[in-house]
Amino acid sequence: MISIVIPAHNEYDNLQRLFKVACFIEHEKLLEIIVAVSPGNSDTIEKLDCSQKVKILRCKNRGRAAQMNEASQIALGNTFVFLHADVVPPTGFVDDILNSLKNGYDAGFFSYKFDKDAWYLRINASFTGKDGLFTGGGDQCLFIKKDAFNQLGRFDEEQVLMEDFEFFRRMKKENVPYTIVKNDLIVSARKYESNSYLRVNLSNFLLVVLFKFGYPGDKLKTLHNKLIRTPYNG
């Protein structure tokens, strides 16, 4: 079984769209879906059309790392998939994961494209199919064997921003075999719609560089909130 873990904070509309994706319906018996909801969530998430098929977990602590960790502790699958609520999987998503594991990889990510067609967004997305500086971001949807995830110590809950990059750094240090599946996820461009393209790119670059140099997670989060407007998160 594959456990898909979706951290969420006021993501009702995105979740409603996400659960209508064909790959979830076609592989229903193979999948377990857990929505790890933040303590401060204020939307009517229990009224989702799919609420009977999806486990809604009200988490004790807010933050993607904490929410994903809590969900992983109740997950029944032998493979975990960490998917953002505003990211839509492509056709073949589940098969790509199964094939990657069958081919000897313990973990992997997906390339992606944005839901808005603009040349500058296509440039950004083009880097996600390559192994480089920005590999391992949460929008690339980490999938990993349960045993490998637990052996790495799960996500660092002190890393309140860029927990995905911090986890990937440990993956590389421990030589966990991983792949990048070149089958594009569809990622929301809402961050770029609420900010300028230049602002987002410069902010992301600054945050990644500061992270690489060991800047504390809480300070990264504070800086991110000053640089990037996220009105869609409530």
Side-chain angles (χ1 to χ4, degrees):
M1 178 183 285
I2 295 175
S3 295
I4 297 179
V5 174
I6 306 169
H9 176 74
N10 293 339
E11 295 281 9
Y12 179 92
D13 290 338
N14 281 323
L15 290 169
Q16 192 72 66
R17 175 188 64 172
L18 181 60
F19 296 137
K20 294 178 182 177
V21 173
C23 69
F24 288 160
I25 299 171
E26 293 168 359
H27 295 276
E28 183 179 346
K29 294 182 180 179
L30 183 64
L31 301 177
E32 170 191 49
I33 301 175
I34 305 172
V35 179
V37 184
S38 76
N41 192 85
S42 59
D43 62 21
T44 54
I45 196 166
E46 287 83 0
K47 294 184 179 180
L48 286 168
D49 290 347
C50 56
S51 59
Q52 294 181 346
K53 299 179 181 178
V54 175
K55 295 180 182 177
I56 306 294
L57 173 65
R58 289 281 181 177
C59 295
K60 297 176 182 177
N61 298 305
R62 180 173 175 174
R64 277 182 175 152
Q67 289 167 231
M68 291 187 293
N69 279 349
E70 190 169 341
S72 75
Q73 291 179 302
I74 68 165
L76 301 176
N78 51 21
T79 299
F80 296 156
V81 179
F82 298 100
L83 178 67
H84 287 182
D86 62 344
V87 174
V88 179
T91 301
F93 177 69
V94 175
D95 290 330
D96 286 334
I97 293 172
L98 293 174
N99 288 333
S100 296
L101 299 174
K102 190 182 298 182
N103 289 331
Y105 296 104
D106 288 349
F109 305 91
F110 283 79
S111 61
Y112 65 72
K113 60 184 178 182
F114 289 96
D115 60 2
K116 179 180 179 182
D117 188 23
W119 65 268
Y120 48 87
L121 294 179
R122 290 199 297 270
I123 291 174
N124 279 26
S126 69
F127 290 103
T128 64
K130 307 178 181 71
D131 203 351
L133 179 64
F134 295 100
T135 300
D139 284 341
Q140 285 192 274
C141 184
L142 167 69
F143 60 89
I144 185 168
K145 290 181 177 179
K146 178 179 182 177
D147 289 345
F149 180 71
N150 288 332
Q151 286 169 9
L152 287 168
R154 299 181 296 201
F155 292 106
D156 181 358
E157 297 182 17
E158 296 297 318
Q159 192 72 42
V160 292
L161 186 75
M162 305 184 79
E163 77 292 329
D164 37 22
F165 286 106
E166 192 281 330
F167 185 82
F168 181 53
R169 183 166 61 187
R170 280 184 279 139
M171 273 180 53
K172 290 196 293 184
K173 184 178 179 180
E174 296 300 323
N175 295 314
V176 174
Y178 67 91
T179 185
I180 299 175
V181 179
K182 295 175 178 61
N183 186 12
D184 293 340
L185 304 160
I186 307 297
V187 172
S188 171
R190 60 185 179 174
K191 184 183 291 186
Y192 293 90
E193 292 168 348
S194 300
N195 303 269
S196 71
Y197 173 75
L198 185 62
R199 185 185 187 92
V200 172
N201 274 12
L202 290 177
S203 298
N204 285 345
F205 180 75
L206 175 62
L207 292 167
V208 168
V209 169
L210 289 174
F211 165 75
K212 297 287 186 182
F213 280 96
Y215 207 62
D218 57 340
K219 292 185 177 180
L220 284 173
K221 180 69 172 177
T222 299
L223 180 59
H224 172 274
N225 292 346
K226 289 180 179 179
L227 293 173
I228 301 293
R229 294 185 291 271
T230 55
Y232 43 82
N233 278 338

